Amino acid sequence: MEHRAVDITAFDQAQIGIDRERFLGMVVRVLNSTLEDTVGSRETSGFINLVGLAISEEIEAEYLRAAGTSRLDLKATIGALIDLKRRLGGDFYVIEETAERIVLGNRRCPFGDLAKDSPSMCMVTSHVFGHMVAESQGYGRVTLADTIARGAHGCRIVIDLDPDAPDDGGQAYFGKADA
């Protein structure tokens, strides 16, 4: 290949698809796949759980501060989950809402095409949702029934609030005991 001097200002107008959001998404995807390749998917899931817990605590604190309360009720928690994903670029909506179960749908993945290369990134959503619901309700089991990352046209996320509800392979989350 021939080497030639390039005017660096030529990149100013070039169609290069990298911005801060895409760069951070690439970092997360590569970290995730490197972890899976290095330590395996089970250990990676445990690591992502810890990351999800730390992130959800920060996010929950923001919503508690905005609501001016120490605990969100169920409606406010659902509103916070949908608002969070909207802020991140998702398109989440309520399919079902009862005292025992929340079912959320999503038409657009916040991680975009990056999630298709790394479906385990959906676990971040599971952990953030699960921890936030558990903190407000005491318990939540999140089942990623359908995900865009696994090839579905949309996501369907089932959050059971009753620990005795039938388990379709979800992840259980428990709130911290009140001091």
Side-chain angles (χ1 to χ4, degrees):
M1 177 170 232
E2 177 186 337
H3 295 284
R4 61 183 175 94
V6 175
D7 177 5
I8 62 169
T9 61
F11 294 126
D12 290 348
Q13 302 302 316
Q15 294 296 318
I16 298 173
I18 298 175
D19 58 14
R20 181 181 6 189
E21 184 175 318
R22 178 136 189 269
F23 175 78
L24 290 174
M26 291 182 337
V27 169
V28 169
R29 185 192 74 225
V30 170
L31 280 171
N32 185 66
S33 63
T34 301
L35 272 172
E36 284 185 352
D37 293 346
T38 305
V39 300
S41 60
R42 183 181 173 105
E43 289 78 7
T44 299
S45 180
F47 177 76
I48 290 174
N49 186 28
L50 294 174
V51 171
L53 173 60
I55 290 170
S56 69
E57 287 176 349
E58 287 188 40
I59 291 169
E60 181 185 31
E62 291 283 333
Y63 283 97
L64 290 173
R65 205 170 8 265
T69 186
S70 62
R71 177 170 279 180
L72 298 176
D73 65 16
L74 182 58
K75 284 263 189 225
T77 299
I78 294 168
L81 298 178
I82 290 172
D83 180 71
L84 169 65
K85 290 303 187 172
R86 177 192 58 78
R87 290 174 186 270
L88 299 176
D91 187 13
F92 280 69
Y93 56 94
V94 176
I95 295 172
E96 176 186 338
E97 176 188 342
T98 68
E100 296 82 32
R101 171 181 273 201
I102 305 161
V103 181
L104 299 176
N106 178 37
R107 292 176 277 260
R108 184 177 56 247
C109 181
F111 298 112
D113 288 339
L114 296 172
K116 291 179 183 170
D117 296 331
S118 189
S120 61
M121 287 175 66
C122 297
M123 293 310 295
V124 173
T125 295
S126 174
H127 295 318
V128 170
F129 279 16
H131 290 299
M132 286 183 68
V133 168
E135 286 305 311
S136 74
Q137 303 301 301
Y139 174 83
R141 182 176 52 236
V142 179
T143 303
L144 302 172
D146 296 307
T147 65
I148 294 168
R150 291 191 312 239
H153 291 294
C155 298
R156 191 170 152 272
I157 300 171
V158 178
I159 306 169
D160 286 302
L161 305 173
D162 177 0
D164 296 324
D167 184 358
D168 294 323
Q171 171 72 43
Y173 301 88
F174 298 89
K176 294 182 203 110
D178 291 330

